């Protein structure tokens, strides 16, 4: 489906009309798509409406994204209790995940939600949710090109850089199956604004600190194969972080390494945020829809990448998730037995 179809059914009007103050926010533990979308949108708005106040609210962002224009102006708290004319939630599948910005969103005179998570049921006065989009940044690219919702015009370098970064991160550098012709077209057009794409990709996606590599090593060494080698899981505890002097942000990329293990359909990675509380990450291939599993435990995400937070003992958490993954794997196997893929000699 192309974007004329994706966006066409909606009647868009410029949501900035009559607005003087805008708050932009995204999900808790902001990733590349979330940060890119927030800074890309604020650049787009300020380029067009210089008199507008645009404040971005996010939890502290990973250091590698700090080079993006205006990243240094991101706020964590609404210290003056400003009530905004408009609040825009980006890359956020439900309002609770705005975390500290939930209240800003609730109190704003008008609200807009722009997202690509399949588990997002829409919230706010106006929702544009497009699960076919690789990333919120890709969706924003086409909304900007369309011009109706946020005004029309050219992309600035800063806006293009932020959106490109977001697309790179949510597609795993154009690798995941959410990468479409539309994704590549948007990324190609953004490249055309003179971006140093190699630097963006290397510095923000592939580079790991020594500590991150140490944690990755520990997680891989201690990983366990389950369900006859079709599922892998690994966990890191607070004591592991303490031992290495590491923190949650050093866990980036561990799930991606687990998921490329041969024979694996489902990868599960957990880390302890507080004693007994775990952040759960799930990845899969075509055999399993992990967004369903995460949603069952109060989380959400995409078909092949989802997450949630869970409390309890590790054994129960892993068993609960593995049972659900196994049920889906049985269905997948039965469907394949019924409709085998054609072999070479047919
Ligand atoms: P990750 O495993 O990288 O944290 O998240 C994978 C995907 O699932 C992301 O798109 C993320 O937004 C979503 N996700 C992760 N944790 C949660 C959660 O607790 N709730 C919801 N609704 N989505 C989540
Ligand atoms: Mn995203």
């Amino acid at each position: 489906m192309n974007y004329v179809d994706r966006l066409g059914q909606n009647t868009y009007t410029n949501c900035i009309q009559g607005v003087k103050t805008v708050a932009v926010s995204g999900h808790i533990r902001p990733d590349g798509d979330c940060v890119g979308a927030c800074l890309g949108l604020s650049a787009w708005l300020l380029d067009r409406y210089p008199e507008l106040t645009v404040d971005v609210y996010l939890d502290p962002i990973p250091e590698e994204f700090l080079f993006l224009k205006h990243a240094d102006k991101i706020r964590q708290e609404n210290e003056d209790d400003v009530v905004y004319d408009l609040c825009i939630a980006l890359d956020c599948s439900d309002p609770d995940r705005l975390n500290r910005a939930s209240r800003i969103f609730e109190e704003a005179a008008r609200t807009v939600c722009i997202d690509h998570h399949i588990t997002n049921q829409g919230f706010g006065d106006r929702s544009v949710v497009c699960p076919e989009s690789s990333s919120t940044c890709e969706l924003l690219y086409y909304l900007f090109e369309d011009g109706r919702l946020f005004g029309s015009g050219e992309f600035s370098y800063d806006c293009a850089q932020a959106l490109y970064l977001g697309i790179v991160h949510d597609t795993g550098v154009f690798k995941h199956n959410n990468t479409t012709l539309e994704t590549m077209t948007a990324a190609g057009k953004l490249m055309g604004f003179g971006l140093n794409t190699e630097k963006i990709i290397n510095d923000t996606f592939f580079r790991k600190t020594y500590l991150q590599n140490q944690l990755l090593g520990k997680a891989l060494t201690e990983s366990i194969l389950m369900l006859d080698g079709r599922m892998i899981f690994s966990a890191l505890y607070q004591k592991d972080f303490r031992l290495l002097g590491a923190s949650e942000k050093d866990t980036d990329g561990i799930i991606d390494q687990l998921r490329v293990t041969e024979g694996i359909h489902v990868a599960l990675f957990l880390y302890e945020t507080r004693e007994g509380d775990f952040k759960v990450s799930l990845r899969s291939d075509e055999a399993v829809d992990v967004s369903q599993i995460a949603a069952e435990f109060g989380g959400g995400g995409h078909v092949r990448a989802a997450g949630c937070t869970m409390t309890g003992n590790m054994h129960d958490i892993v068993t609960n998730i593995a049972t659900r993954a196994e049920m889906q794997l049985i269905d997948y196997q039965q469907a394949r037995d019924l409709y085998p893929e054609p072999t070479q000699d047919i």
Side-chain angles (χ1 to χ4, degrees):
M1 205 203 320
N2 64 34
Y3 273 89
V4 175
D5 293 332
R6 288 187 210 180
L7 303 178
Q9 302 97 336
N10 296 297
T11 49
Y12 294 105
T13 49
N14 188 319
C15 67
I16 306 301
Q17 248 158 31
V19 165
K20 289 203 174 76
T21 56
V22 183
V24 175
S25 189
H27 62 76
I28 180 173
R29 298 189 190 95
D31 59 8
D33 186 32
C34 176
V35 176
C38 289
L39 294 176
L41 174 61
S42 74
W44 179 269
L45 293 178
L46 289 171
D47 288 342
R48 255 138 224 94
Y49 311 99
E51 68 293 348
L52 199 66
T53 298
V54 182
D55 294 332
V56 177
Y57 288 89
L58 285 174
D59 286 352
I61 65 169
E63 248 167 59
E64 58 270 26
F65 303 141
L66 282 173
F67 77 100
L68 289 171
K69 183 86 179 214
H70 296 316
D72 54 332
K73 301 208 180 79
I74 292 175
R75 301 163 176 222
Q76 263 104 62
E77 303 287 350
N78 183 5
E79 277 159 16
D80 303 323
D81 287 326
V82 181
V83 175
Y84 288 86
D85 297 337
L86 174 67
C87 182
I88 305 172
L90 297 170
D91 199 35
C92 189
S93 54
D94 71 68
D96 287 348
R97 281 180 53 79
L98 290 169
N99 203 18
R100 280 178 280 195
S102 299
R103 221 179 102 206
I104 301 176
F105 191 85
E106 271 167 31
E107 290 176 352
R110 269 192 272 158
T111 53
V112 172
C113 154
I114 295 176
D115 187 29
H116 71 128
H117 290 95
I118 195 164
T119 49
N120 188 333
Q121 313 200 323
F123 60 90
D125 300 327
R126 147 135 293 172
S127 275
V128 184
V129 179
C130 205
E132 299 86 1
S133 301
S134 67
S135 48
T136 302
C137 284
E138 179 189 324
L139 178 55
L140 278 181
Y141 171 87
Y142 286 103
L143 284 168
F144 293 164
E145 198 177 60
D146 177 90
R148 285 175 288 173
L149 197 55
F150 296 117
S152 55
E154 255 323 323
F155 289 80
S156 64
Y157 176 90
D158 297 327
C159 175
Q161 178 158 258
L163 295 186
Y164 183 87
L165 182 147
I167 297 174
V168 161
H169 278 256
D170 262 19
T171 57
V173 194
F174 310 110
K175 173 173 81 91
H176 303 326
N177 80 327
N178 58 0
T179 310
T180 63
L181 174 64
E182 284 75 27
T183 315
M184 299 309 281
T185 305
K189 296 245 182 83
L190 292 169
M191 259 178 114
F193 292 99
L195 309 184
N196 187 343
T197 53
E198 184 189 14
K199 190 166 164 50
I200 295 172
I201 293 170
N202 276 334
D203 289 1
T204 75
F205 191 88
F206 287 112
R207 176 153 306 132
K208 298 286 169 222
T209 62
Y210 180 65
L211 214 48
Q212 282 174 320
N213 277 338
Q214 280 189 307
L215 268 189
L216 172 66
K218 184 165 176 54
L220 295 180
T221 311
E222 291 173 8
S223 65
I224 292 173
L225 290 175
M226 306 175 69
L227 308 182
D228 300 323
R230 292 170 300 165
M231 178 168 163
I232 190 165
F233 108 86
S234 189
L236 289 171
Y237 296 85
Q238 281 294 322
K239 66 174 167 44
D240 302 319
F241 293 124
R242 277 198 297 274
L243 198 70
L244 291 168
S247 70
E248 296 175 9
K249 67 178 170 35
D250 299 311
T251 59
D252 263 16
I254 292 178
I255 187 72
D256 295 312
Q257 199 54 45
L258 289 171
R259 89 186 299 187
V260 295
T261 314
E262 195 172 10
I264 288 303
H265 291 298
V266 185
L268 166 64
F269 173 64
L270 307 99
Y271 67 79
E272 200 177 26
T273 50
R274 267 192 326 214
E275 192 149 336
D277 287 349
F278 292 92
K279 164 78 184 76
V280 177
S281 281
L282 284 156
R283 299 292 185 269
S284 60
D285 60 10
E286 77 283 356
V288 174
D289 176 353
V290 285
S291 75
Q292 275 185 26
I293 301 176
E296 264 197 68
F297 296 107
H302 309 286
V303 173
R304 296 190 184 187
C308 56
T309 49
M310 289 173 80
T311 305
N313 83 54
M314 173 67 63
H315 182 266
D316 291 346
I317 293 174
V318 174
T319 310
N320 271 328
I321 292 175
T323 309
R324 278 147 182 95
E326 188 172 30
M327 287 191 299
Q328 287 199 39
L329 284 168
I330 290 169
D331 289 346
Y332 173 75
Q333 194 53 52
Q334 279 174 350
R336 280 175 62 106
D337 292 345
L338 277 173
Y339 309 104
E341 282 179 5
T343 53
Q344 291 291 331
D345 42 342
I346 287 181

